[in-house]
Amino acid sequence: MSVLRKSTWIAWAENITLVLIISFAFYTTLPIQTTRTLLVPQGSITHIISQLTQKGYALSPIDKYILVFLGKPQSGWVDIGATRLNRIDFLYRLTTAKAKMEEITLIPGETTELFFTTVATDLKLDKTKLDTYYKEFSNYPEAGIYADTYYVPYGISEKHFVHFLISASEKRYQEISEKIYGNYNKKQWLNILIIASIIQKEAANTEEMPIVSSVIYNRLKRGMRLQMDGTLNYGKYSHVKVTPERIKNDTSRFNTYKYKGLPHMPIGAVSLDAIIAAIKPAKTNYLYFMKNAKGVHDFTHSYKTHRKNIQKAR
């Protein structure tokens, strides 16, 4: 009798186990509707399940134990890769999905003003907050962000966005400065950035950069005004054509037609080529340059020749 009872219990347990296995298999194949890009909240697996459930995901406490087995998801925006998955596939991708990244490029010569305007639109960020955090974190009033391409997580905050770009730029500036000077002096580097930013705006190509740099240094050494249009392409005027009226009416320190010396701050983002040109100008006696019909510049040390170059350009 006891043997029969034991056999009955075993059969009953096997049937229950089979039902559970079938139920679990069925449960894991249930569809989950999701967005391709998903924001995974910070916290424990229980908290993640709870938060996703509140956002409309059909999850249950069972999924908590599945995730414990599969691994904890990383927090932040992740790319799930599909919008309709079965449950087990969704949970697996939740633990293995990579962060969704946005590609952001700051082109050489661009101003922070226009860069942040574009970023605010593309990443749906607050322009005012971007400006505020830039002033808080940057060592330089302009050119605090190195001209380069960056990859930032989708959904990044204004504070983290600006901090990341400035930290990466500071590291780059320090590496360049220490390699050339053996140290990183921020006051000295500001002067380099100012000159590099003018070179960036004025040179037609990278080959001209050391020559334009030499003109800047030659004119400064002689006490001449720089008289360069590029210095007036600051801030919101980055792409605005410089006219005689603008030269006459602009009273800022960027107007190198009115004031001697360098502007008080850089006029835009700079590239490595512009930085190197600012540090190592070509050895010339040039004092003037004028863009010719080919789109590059004619350089000369003679004002008379310079006037002829202007007439030819017209």
Side-chain angles (χ1 to χ4, degrees):
M1 184 71 178
S2 61
V3 173
L4 180 60
R5 184 177 298 174
K6 183 176 180 181
S7 177
T8 301
W9 275 103
I10 292 174
W12 182 81
E14 287 177 345
N15 288 334
I16 292 295
T17 302
L18 181 61
V19 169
L20 290 175
I21 291 173
I22 293 173
S23 298
F24 181 76
F26 175 74
Y27 177 78
T28 58
T29 60
L30 292 174
I32 291 284
Q33 193 71 31
T34 180
T35 54
R36 186 180 180 91
T37 302
L38 172 64
L39 176 60
V40 180
Q42 291 184 335
S44 65
I45 289 178
T46 301
H47 178 71
I48 292 171
I49 294 293
S50 174
Q51 291 296 307
L52 291 178
T53 301
Q54 290 180 27
K55 292 181 179 180
Y57 286 84
L59 302 177
S60 73
I62 297 174
D63 299 308
K64 168 187 173 182
Y65 298 101
I66 298 176
L67 279 180
V68 169
F69 175 76
L70 294 175
K72 185 180 178 182
Q74 64 173 320
S75 61
W77 288 95
V78 296
D79 188 359
I80 296 296
T83 57
R84 187 175 176 83
L85 302 161
N86 64 49
R87 183 174 300 272
I88 193 67
D89 197 15
F90 171 75
L91 294 174
Y92 175 74
R93 293 196 186 194
L94 200 60
T95 63
T96 59
K98 295 182 179 180
K100 177 177 172 57
M101 305 297 283
E102 293 282 356
E103 181 180 294
I104 299 296
T105 298
L106 173 56
I107 62 173
E110 190 56 279
T111 62
T112 304
E113 170 71 23
L114 295 192
F115 174 60
F116 281 164
T117 298
T118 301
V119 165
T121 300
D122 292 346
L123 300 188
K124 296 179 175 57
L125 298 176
D126 188 304
K127 168 68 164 51
T128 301
K129 289 183 179 179
L130 292 173
D131 291 334
T132 299
Y133 287 123
Y134 179 84
K135 291 176 183 176
E136 180 181 344
F137 298 140
S138 180
N139 289 312
Y140 309 104
E142 180 66 85
I145 302 174
Y146 177 70
D148 204 351
T149 295
Y150 301 88
Y151 295 89
V152 297
Y154 182 83
I156 192 171
S157 69
E158 291 85 356
K159 182 176 183 178
H160 289 154
F161 175 81
V162 176
H163 186 269
F164 167 70
L165 263 61
I166 289 178
S167 295
S169 299
E170 275 295 298
K171 182 178 180 181
R172 183 68 168 140
Y173 289 156
Q174 185 170 349
E175 289 174 349
I176 299 170
S177 181
E178 288 181 348
K179 185 175 182 180
I180 295 173
Y181 296 115
N183 61 64
Y184 179 45
N185 182 298
K186 292 182 176 63
K187 184 176 181 180
Q188 178 189 41
W189 198 251
L190 173 61
N191 203 58
I192 293 298
L193 290 178
I194 292 172
I195 296 172
S197 70
I198 300 173
I199 296 169
Q200 195 77 65
K201 291 281 190 180
E202 293 287 348
N205 51 46
T206 55
E207 289 74 19
E208 282 191 359
M209 286 183 173
I211 308 174
V212 171
S213 181
S214 73
V215 174
I216 294 172
Y217 281 104
N218 289 341
R219 291 180 74 91
L220 290 174
K221 187 176 181 180
R222 292 197 177 202
M224 299 171 66
R225 292 185 178 89
L226 293 183
Q227 296 181 317
M228 295 183 180
D229 287 2
T231 62
L232 286 167
N233 289 132
Y234 62 89
K236 64 181 180 181
Y237 302 109
S238 180
H239 303 290
V240 177
K241 183 178 180 180
V242 178
T243 62
E245 290 74 23
R246 177 80 191 289
I247 293 171
K248 179 180 178 181
N249 297 323
D250 191 304
T251 59
S252 73
R253 289 291 306 178
F254 291 104
N255 192 342
T256 53
Y257 286 91
K258 287 181 178 289
Y259 300 99
K260 287 185 178 182
L262 295 170
H264 61 297
M265 61 183 268
I267 52 178
V270 299
S271 63
L272 178 60
D273 289 319
I275 291 173
I276 298 303
I279 295 172
K280 299 179 179 180
K283 294 182 179 180
T284 76
N285 62 351
Y286 296 145
L287 295 171
Y288 309 95
F289 57 89
M290 182 67 194
K291 184 172 287 188
N292 58 36
K294 296 180 180 179
V296 293
H297 292 96
D298 293 318
F299 295 86
T300 180
H301 70 281
S302 165
Y303 181 69
K304 184 177 180 180
T305 303
H306 178 57
R307 291 300 303 173
K308 289 180 180 179
N309 290 336
I310 292 175
Q311 292 300 319
K312 282 193 298 183
R314 290 176 179 173

